[in-house]
Structures are given as structure tokens and as C-alpha cells.
Amino acid sequence: MHQTSGSQGQFKRVLLKISGEALMGDQGYGLHPPTVERIAAEVKTVHDLGAEICMVIGGGNIFRGLQGSAQGMERTTADYMGMLATVMNALAMQSSLEEQGVHTRVVSAIPMDQVCEPYIRRRAVRHLEKKRVVIFAAGTGNPYFTTDTAATLRASEMACEAIFKGTQVDGIYDKDPKQHSDAVRYDAVTYDEVLQKRLKVMDASAIALARDNNLPIIVFSLDEPGGFRGILSGNGTYTKVHG
């Protein structure tokens, strides 16, 4: 179903959240440079519209803390390893964006001065005002919190108007559309419906934080060329999570 969301002016500052797995391409692990380049090109098209963009990228293509702890590793250690994986992904995305002429800053919740900037809210806001893409890395800097929660936290702190969650499908479905041909896509759902129906959008703490701050979540397909720009331009297929 085709739907519009108004003019591009509706979203002047947004946060794009993608999983680490989105950077794998067809590989089962790690980074696939052509895929990173393709996603960076999508971000550039939105940047060219004049939107201010920040990003959060997961680390599951390199290391996932929850899986590490399930295999007997202490959870806190496993989560910190997962945070470091997100820094690697952020640097890869920064490199690709810079090659395409987009000024970028990687901002980490865990200080590592030789590699990226520490998170200072006012400085990050200033980067956005100067039209730099800001990639937030290392989650919230705390174990037991996902990058979904980190994305919602940073979007709230940066006063973003929406979180764009790029996935492999064009919205939220009542069941997995890759396994069920009769799966139905929602045009819009409320935060409470996501929690009650346990729809796989973001984890519960991220949804609750978005609800408390009245922060809409736009779920769309990152695999659809031009999809990110299309929604900001007023077109495209997606599901909106709202109050």
C-alpha cells in the first residue's frame, strides 16, 4: 500500500537505526563493503535534502552480547564486547560516508579519543546543526541495554522528530512475511499495541522510552532503493508507531 507522510519539511532532524546484520550483505558475518557503501549512499540522498541525520548501528554482525552470555560468557563482559563491535561498524560507515563527500562524526559512549569523540550532548547537537552526520557508537555505554534503547535515548537527547528503523521488510507485520504469505502489514500501530502484541519492532524498554517522549518510529525497508529518501519526500511504504 502506498501512503504519504507530508513534505520533507516534516522531518528536519531524524535518527536512522539499522542493525549490524544490515552491513553483512549476503555474508554470514562481518562487514560487506559494497553493502556499507550502498547504505551510505542512501543516507547521502537524505542528507542532500537538507535533513539533519544521526545514526545508531547495531553490532550483531560482529558480536552480540546476549548470544555471548548465552554461551557462558559473563553478561557484562559480553555486552561491552558488543558495544565495541558497534564502534567498528560506525567507523566503517563514517569511512564510506566521507568517501561520498558527507562530513561525519563518530561519537562513542565509551571514550576512546584516538578513534572517535566522546559523547557530549551539546557538541553532538552542534555537529548536527553544521549538517554533519553523527554516528552514535557503543550503545548507551551500559550493559543490559540494547542499541534499540540507545537509539531512542540519543534521538530523545538530540530532539529528533522521528526514529527511522531500517529493516529487511517494508513495515511491521502481524507475523513474519518471509514465512507467511498471508501476513498483514500495519499502516500504523500505537506503542501500547507493539508492547501488548509483542510485535518485533524494538525491545520493550526502547518502545516505552519512545512512548514517554512521544517519539514516532518509522519502520521501513532498507533494502528498497530510495526508500529512506522517499519517505522524507512524502512517499513510500512503511509502518508508523505512535501514541
Side-chain angles (χ1 to χ4, degrees):
M1 185 185 296
H2 222 61
Q3 54 181 221
T4 61
S5 63
S7 69
Q8 76 193 52
Q10 183 176 352
F11 298 113
K12 292 186 175 66
R13 180 180 294 173
V14 299
L15 185 141
L16 174 63
K17 165 65 172 70
I18 61 176
S19 67
E21 286 88 346
L23 306 183
M24 290 191 311
D26 294 330
Q27 302 172 160
Y29 175 85
L31 288 154
H32 183 239
T35 301
V36 177
E37 190 177 314
R38 179 183 65 78
I39 294 171
E42 294 280 324
V43 173
K44 183 182 187 303
T45 63
V46 172
H47 186 262
D48 289 345
L49 286 175
E52 296 172 3
I53 307 166
C54 33
M55 297 180 69
V56 169
I57 307 172
N61 56 319
I62 299 169
F63 189 88
R64 186 178 288 281
L66 213 53
Q67 288 176 351
S69 65
Q71 292 171 12
M73 189 177 291
E74 198 266 320
R75 172 69 189 269
T76 304
T77 300
D79 278 357
Y80 279 124
M81 291 173 69
M83 289 179 220
L84 295 177
T86 72
V87 177
M88 295 173 71
N89 285 339
L91 293 173
M93 183 59 63
Q94 178 184 42
S95 176
S96 193
L97 282 166
E98 296 267 350
E99 280 178 17
Q100 297 182 42
V102 179
H103 294 297
T104 311
R105 293 289 187 275
V106 173
V107 176
S108 172
I110 299 174
M112 47 186 89
D113 294 344
Q114 288 89 339
V115 176
C116 49
E117 291 185 8
Y119 175 67
I120 299 170
R121 190 185 67 84
R122 286 176 178 269
R123 184 187 291 176
V125 169
R126 188 75 183 118
H127 289 320
L128 290 172
E129 291 170 350
K130 289 183 174 180
K131 302 300 181 185
R132 296 166 182 154
V133 172
V134 178
I135 307 172
F136 293 110
T140 65
N142 301 290
Y144 295 94
F145 288 90
T146 65
T147 50
D148 280 343
T149 304
T152 311
L153 175 65
R154 295 296 183 237
S156 301
E157 289 177 303
M158 294 297 106
C160 290
E161 290 151 339
I163 296 173
F164 279 71
K165 173 143 186 178
T167 67
Q168 293 179 325
V169 291
D170 60 354
I172 302 168
Y173 286 76
D174 60 346
K175 49 193 165 186
D176 188 345
K178 293 188 175 183
Q179 295 180 4
H180 303 275
S181 59
D182 60 342
V184 177
R185 185 179 62 79
Y186 297 102
D187 280 343
V189 290
T190 65
Y191 304 113
D192 289 337
E193 283 177 315
V194 170
L195 293 171
Q196 288 162 8
K197 296 178 181 178
R198 300 196 175 195
L199 300 173
K200 293 182 179 178
V201 186
M202 291 179 160
D203 63 86
S205 58
I207 295 294
L209 185 59
R211 179 186 61 192
D212 291 348
N213 290 283
N214 200 24
L215 186 63
I217 303 166
I218 309 290
V219 182
F220 72 106
S221 173
L222 200 63
D223 293 339
E224 182 71 31
F228 187 23
R229 179 187 171 111
I231 295 169
L232 266 83
S233 299
N235 304 298
T237 306
Y238 57 88
T239 301
K240 181 177 181 180
V241 184
H242 61 95

